[in-house]
Amino acid sequence: MRLATFQPQLGVHCETTTLRNMIHHAGIDLSEPMLFGLGQGIDFQYWDAPAPGDGTPMLTGRIEPALLSRNACSALGMELRESRAPDSESAWAAATELLDAGHVVGVSVDIFYLDYFSSRSHFASHYIALYGLDDSVAHVVDTEQQGGAQTLPAESLRRARASDEGFMPSPHLHLYVERPSARLTADTDAVLREQIWNAIRLTAERMTGDRGPRFGIRAMRRAASEIAGWSDTLASADEMVPGVGRFWRFAGTGGANFRKLYREFLLEARQRYDDCELDPFIEDFGDVQRQWDQAIGMLMAYGGADDGRRQLEAVAARLDAIADAEQALFEGLLVSAAKRAGEPA
């Protein structure tokens, strides 16, 4: 079974690419940055390594898997259906049934088992859009970096969906969207106009709130305080430190640890509605994006040896500066959003 009218939609981040393909096939054409912004996707999270000296902490610039899709669909008034099958056979049957009913199916997978993926690491929080499936092959859409529309052996997809290894696995998870409301179909622009500032407000509230040492600005400051010592605390700093930089730049973040993608959301909102109140924030996010790129470049250039700690202290100072900039930026957005959310179109 393969959806005859399906048109692959490209993207830079796995979950928003998957969501965009599901929503586009349902009849609503939105950009990936718009979905990321409506999904309140930006964040900073710091998850400790499983045990001291055992691997690298997970530091990511977005919210939890699937939450972005829930937020975006809620803003659009679309029904997002999520389910986890108990085993591979049930997962296969559910996906086949949804494809037969005309849905693009979002699935959570472990990249280790995807034949077209160059990485040989386990990461089970990756999303792809499934649009065709039979006993031998699966047709999916991944990010542009991974080649967009891909065909892989059906058995590889089974293994990828069943994996419980790596960061935040969700074995046999699938998502799909119901048919959009008549209002969203007839006047998508009006819905966006109503929801953009509300999504900005909710994002800014979350980013400026204290959610403990794992989340938001506080987590960023924690990362700055601990990164300086990574040359001593990480078992393989020469490999792991540049790996964090590559993850922030290339691992489906759209660049600059998702900051580039969020700036593009603000820029599209500004252009759609000629909303000059967004201008200073777009400019400030451009500066934040540049600072993230500088920090990432420093990590990727890490050479260890005698000056390893000095290099990491420079990264820590840059992250502290980024935390200050993002704190001020989201506080400013919160003031503007509180005023603008809910205004009549």
Side-chain angles (χ1 to χ4, degrees):
M1 166 57 189
R2 185 173 175 180
L3 297 173
T5 61
F6 177 75
Q7 298 176 323
Q9 304 299 302
L10 299 181
V12 296
H13 166 52
C14 66
E15 187 175 342
T16 40
T17 297
T18 297
L19 180 62
R20 187 181 182 209
N21 276 277
M22 293 192 297
I23 287 178
H24 185 271
H25 189 68
I28 304 300
D29 185 16
L30 294 176
S31 74
E32 182 183 17
M34 181 58 64
L35 290 171
F36 187 79
L38 291 177
Q40 307 161 44
I42 197 168
D43 200 355
F44 188 86
Q45 297 193 10
Y46 189 124
W47 295 90
D48 298 300
D54 181 17
T56 313
M58 171 62 74
L59 299 92
T60 178
R62 54 149 294 169
I63 58 176
E64 296 90 328
L67 181 56
L68 191 161
S69 295
R70 293 182 207 125
N71 290 342
C73 286
S74 177
L76 293 169
M78 292 189 75
E79 183 112 22
L80 177 72
R81 301 290 183 129
E82 302 176 57
S83 182
R84 280 182 64 172
D87 53 54
S88 290
E89 291 308 313
S90 300
W92 191 272
T96 300
E97 183 178 342
L98 288 169
L99 288 166
D100 285 341
H103 296 286
V104 174
V105 186
V107 294
S108 177
V109 294
D110 183 348
I111 63 174
F112 182 84
Y113 297 104
L114 300 179
D115 294 51
Y116 57 83
F117 230 97
S118 59
S119 174
R120 292 294 86 198
S121 299
H122 286 283
F123 183 77
S125 297
H126 189 68
Y127 284 79
I128 54 178
L130 176 65
Y131 69 96
L133 188 62
D134 60 34
D135 290 339
S136 59
V137 298
H139 301 277
V140 303
V141 181
D142 208 316
T143 61
E144 286 185 68
Q145 185 179 355
Q146 299 305 325
Q150 293 279 5
T151 300
L152 73 158
E155 186 57 32
S156 296
L157 181 64
R158 284 181 184 269
R159 292 196 301 269
R161 294 194 64 194
S163 175
D164 61 359
E165 300 182 67
F167 182 67
M168 290 188 177
S170 298
H172 308 309
L173 173 71
H174 68 255
L175 318 168
Y176 68 98
V177 295
E178 295 285 10
R179 186 182 302 276
S181 67
R183 180 169 184 260
L184 180 61
T185 301
D187 199 349
T188 305
D189 213 47
V191 175
L192 296 183
R193 188 185 292 270
E194 292 171 2
Q195 292 298 325
I196 284 172
W197 273 106
N198 190 52
I200 292 172
R201 176 181 62 81
L202 292 169
T203 301
E205 286 178 346
R206 176 169 42 77
M207 288 298 292
T208 56
D210 186 349
R211 294 174 288 141
R214 285 182 173 172
F215 303 98
I217 304 297
R218 184 176 169 188
M220 203 180 299
R221 297 195 192 282
R222 177 190 168 198
S225 71
E226 295 187 8
I227 278 176
W230 275 5
S231 57
D232 301 319
T233 59
L234 294 183
S236 304
D238 288 0
E239 176 184 343
M240 292 180 176
V241 171
V244 172
R246 289 191 296 271
F247 183 81
W248 282 348
R249 179 162 288 170
F250 300 121
T253 70
N257 201 17
F258 293 99
R259 272 55 189 168
K260 182 175 183 288
L261 200 52
Y262 197 77
R263 181 180 180 274
E264 289 172 352
F265 158 66
L266 296 177
L267 184 60
E268 181 178 341
R270 176 18 174 145
Q271 292 169 342
R272 270 182 177 267
Y273 304 114
D274 196 25
D275 192 341
C276 60
E277 185 149 357
L278 286 168
D279 286 344
F281 303 113
I282 293 167
E283 182 177 350
D284 289 347
F285 247 101
D287 182 58
V288 163
Q289 179 184 324
R290 286 188 290 274
Q291 290 194 63
W292 269 105
D293 277 330
Q294 290 167 359
I296 290 167
M298 295 160 108
L299 288 171
M300 292 175 66
Y302 176 79
D306 295 337
D307 64 345
R309 186 172 184 92
R310 179 186 57 78
Q311 294 176 49
L312 291 176
E313 285 173 349
V315 175
R318 178 62 60 194
L319 279 180
D320 264 329
I322 292 171
D324 289 342
E326 291 202 9
Q327 181 80 37
L329 200 162
F330 282 108
E331 285 175 353
L333 275 172
L334 186 57
V335 171
S336 289
K339 178 176 68 176
R340 297 296 300 277
E343 283 186 359

